[in-house]
Amino acid sequence: MGKPEPHIVVQDLTLAYGANIIQKDLSFTVNRGDIFIIMGGSGCGKSTLLRGMVGLQKPVRGRVLYNGISFWDTGEKERQRIMRNFGVLYQSGALWSSMTLAENVALPLEEHTRLSPDLISEIVSFKLSLTGLAGFEEYYPSELSGGMKKRAGLARAMALDPGILFFDEPSAGLDPVSARLMDRLILELRDSLGATVVIVTHELESIFAVGNNSVFLDAGTKTMIASGDPKILLERSGDPRVRDFLTRGEGAQAAR
């Protein structure tokens, strides 16, 4: 394997809502091709960090660099260019209820490209087939199960062939079988598309199934207290907060 290539670098990041600091002093690197997990207990600021990384919330201080370019320090035109390389899957799926799946997936292509309607239709069918939804083009979100809605949201996130995919709790609300299928799909898409994947989750099964790098956020200290491969953190972390989270509170005995 070659030397890891930094794709996203977070430096001394602090995020807040007004005077309320959510997370501070965050510094970590997401390498190209990583499946990077943002983890921690409820209310620690995982989704807030994701918002700061995708351009939805400006940090109080610090930098987020994409391929060496500081996202929040560059001009609006350059920020928009960087963001066009993002695909985002929101926790709810965030599909437009009045649009069919095909129309939902086509929307980014219609807004950001000059492709012909026929070519857009071909791309839409291909993206839906990648996520196991071939033949569901004319279905509406209300006609789908929770897992299918998540996969439809993933198809839309991939519409513009992004280099970075951001997922907010992709397994939330799914039954165990659907959650495992989502994990498998994320691995397959990372391998086939060569994308870097950043996932917010507290689901241990998913963390260990797909993650090869991570950051652990702590609600008490409002900062990161660990980073690295979750499986290695499980074996070697000396911090009881990290160990308890990764073992469902069973500590060193479960790690063995």
Side-chain angles (χ1 to χ4, degrees):
M1 295 179 61
K3 184 179 179 181
E5 180 186 350
H7 201 172
I8 311 167
V9 178
V10 172
Q11 297 178 335
D12 300 317
L13 201 69
T14 293
L15 296 151
Y17 293 109
N20 182 26
I21 298 293
I22 305 300
Q23 281 287 325
K24 60 185 179 181
D25 305 326
L26 303 179
S27 294
F28 57 85
T29 297
V30 182
N31 293 310
R32 194 172 300 277
D34 273 355
I35 297 184
F36 187 93
I37 308 294
I38 299 173
M39 59 183 178
S42 297
C44 69
K46 299 185 296 293
S47 293
T48 300
L49 172 55
L50 190 74
R51 289 171 60 84
M53 293 176 72
V54 303
L56 295 177
Q57 182 169 342
K58 188 172 183 179
V60 174
R61 66 180 180 86
R63 302 197 300 169
V64 181
L65 292 91
Y66 290 97
N67 296 317
I69 298 172
S70 181
F71 181 85
W72 290 105
D73 295 319
T74 193
E76 178 64 23
K77 186 175 181 180
E78 180 68 3
R79 268 199 301 276
Q80 290 297 324
R81 185 195 68 78
I82 293 171
M83 290 173 68
R84 280 195 291 273
N85 197 40
F86 297 168
V88 184
L89 173 62
Y90 297 98
Q91 188 171 154
S92 64
L95 299 170
W96 293 98
S97 60
S98 61
M99 293 182 173
T100 65
L101 293 198
E103 290 168 339
N104 266 282
V105 178
L107 194 59
L109 293 160
E110 292 168 347
E111 290 194 352
H112 298 293
T113 76
R114 296 180 179 178
L115 299 176
S116 70
D118 286 346
L119 185 52
I120 288 177
S121 180
E122 288 182 22
I123 294 170
V124 167
S125 293
F126 176 63
K127 300 299 183 184
L128 286 171
S129 70
L130 283 177
T131 56
L133 291 172
F136 286 87
E137 285 84 353
E138 300 308 312
Y139 282 63
Y140 286 88
S142 62
E143 299 174 306
L144 304 179
S145 68
M148 294 171 76
K149 289 178 184 176
K150 293 270 189 173
R151 285 186 277 138
L154 180 51
R156 187 179 60 184
M158 297 189 304
L160 295 172
D161 294 324
I164 306 173
L165 290 165
F166 293 95
F167 300 155
D168 191 2
E169 299 283 6
S171 300
L174 300 184
D175 63 83
V177 173
S178 296
R180 283 195 296 272
L181 288 173
M182 177 61 75
D183 290 340
R184 194 178 309 155
L185 180 58
I186 289 170
L187 285 168
E188 290 173 356
L189 292 175
R190 188 277 308 270
D191 293 341
S192 61
L193 301 177
T196 299
V197 182
V198 178
I199 304 175
V200 166
T201 187
H202 63 273
E203 302 283 351
L204 289 185
E205 290 83 359
S206 294
I207 288 170
F208 292 125
V210 304
N212 73 298
N213 198 358
S214 71
V215 63
F216 187 96
L217 306 183
D218 178 57
T221 58
K222 297 186 177 182
T223 192
M224 57 184 283
I225 57 174
S227 62
D229 188 317
K231 292 178 280 295
I232 294 176
L233 291 179
L234 174 64
E235 295 174 359
R236 302 180 185 176
S237 177
D239 192 309
R241 293 165 295 183
V242 178
R243 193 167 59 246
D244 285 349
F245 177 87
L246 293 174
T247 62
R248 300 191 191 279
E250 296 181 18
Q253 182 176 355
R256 290 196 296 267

